Amino acid sequence: MIQKVKLTYDQIMSKFQVNKPWDTIIIFVLNILLTIPVFLIVHQNTIDVNWFWHIDRILIFILIVVVIQLVLRAMRKIILISIFLYLVTLFVGTVFGGYGFKSVFEDYEYMLYFMSDNPNPQDIIISKMLPFPNKSKVLDAIEYDNPKVRSFAIMATTKHFRKSKDDFREYATIIQCFAVFKEINSRWNYVSDPKNKDYIATATESLEYLSGDCDDHSILMAACVRSIGGTPRLIHTDGHIYPEILIGTKKDFEAVNYLIKQVLFVNESKDKVVNYHIDERGQIWLNLDYTAHYPGGPFMSEEILGALTLN
């Protein structure tokens, strides 16, 4: 009886066994298919040490290939089942809006572009910063729930990047905030404060003529960004204030970096670096200053003294 059960099992397993040399070819192809999503997960959750040519990422990729290859060779008798389960998993993700074939392709495309483009990180340590100047006045001036502010922001989203928002739905809010950035920065007129006085204009006041100094611009930008669901913050230096927008994780930044350079601000960012800050929680922020022609443009070189985040 025991021998009969064993024989039946062997017969079943033999149905899923692939003859040589096809088993080796299939194992290698399946290895690459499995390595890509595994590598993306590892890549997005490990610190980038910024080695030359991203050697650390290459070594990680090779290590994953070797490990998966050994596992697949040990499982060669059920190789067809492995392929079937892999494809079914991606198919289900594609049909029901989860992680599917398109997600794997896009993540890999974003990651490769990010590695070749080499954006420029500039870390800041929030815990060591000074109190934000005129904090209460600035917060009151950021009238993100004012109908005029929201109407202006909505107008900008209908004017810029509407198709891109539909094509990249996962980052629709950030794309709409970039539309606000484009509208404000393309029309902003810098006007100094009264002599010997730090004048803080409200968002609606600056909105009337799209004019003012750096803190007026920052307040208006922050108000508009927050009015449509973005998370802005203001950075204070010794002689300047500028706005930033929260992008999120490293994975999010890889996608946004691709969108800036290849879709939304192609001409403005051509041959230029996307600069960013990383806060103490590992979250990534991009510069939206009036001096920048694309999100993540060059920072002012002054020392950062404080930050005011609008959650």
Side-chain angles (χ1 to χ4, degrees), residues 6 35 47 52 55 60 70 77 80 91 106 114 147 210-211 294-295 304:
K6 182 178 180 180
T35 296
I47 298 174
F52 184 66
I55 298 297
I60 290 174
L70 293 175
K77 287 188 176 182
L80 292 181
F91 178 76
E106 288 181 346
F114 178 84
L210 287 175
S211 298
Y294 59 94
I304 295 173

Side-chain angles (χ1 to χ4, degrees), residues 130 133 214 235-242 300-306:
L130 301 174
C214 61
I235 299 296
H236 171 240
T237 71
D238 187 40
H240 187 52
I241 292 179
Y242 60 90
M300 298 291 284
S301 59
E302 299 169 341
E303 179 185 3
I304 295 173
L305 301 178

Side-chain angles (χ1 to χ4, degrees), residues 117-128:
D117 184 59
N118 195 29
N120 182 34
Q122 298 189 27
D123 295 1
I124 60 176
I125 304 175
I126 301 297
S127 59
K128 293 184 178 180

Side-chain angles (χ1 to χ4, degrees), residues 161-169 172 175 259 263-264:
F161 312 142
R162 291 187 64 176
K163 185 177 184 303
S164 298
K165 180 199 69 174
D166 295 333
D167 292 341
F168 301 91
R169 292 184 180 276
I175 291 173
L259 288 173
V263 181
L264 306 177

Side-chain angles (χ1 to χ4, degrees), residues 55-73:
I55 298 297
D56 59 319
R57 306 291 117 169
I58 296 174
L59 293 176
I60 290 174
F61 186 85
I62 293 173
L63 178 61
I64 294 174
V65 168
V66 171
V67 171
I68 293 180
Q69 182 73 10
L70 293 175
V71 172
L72 291 178
R73 286 181 65 85

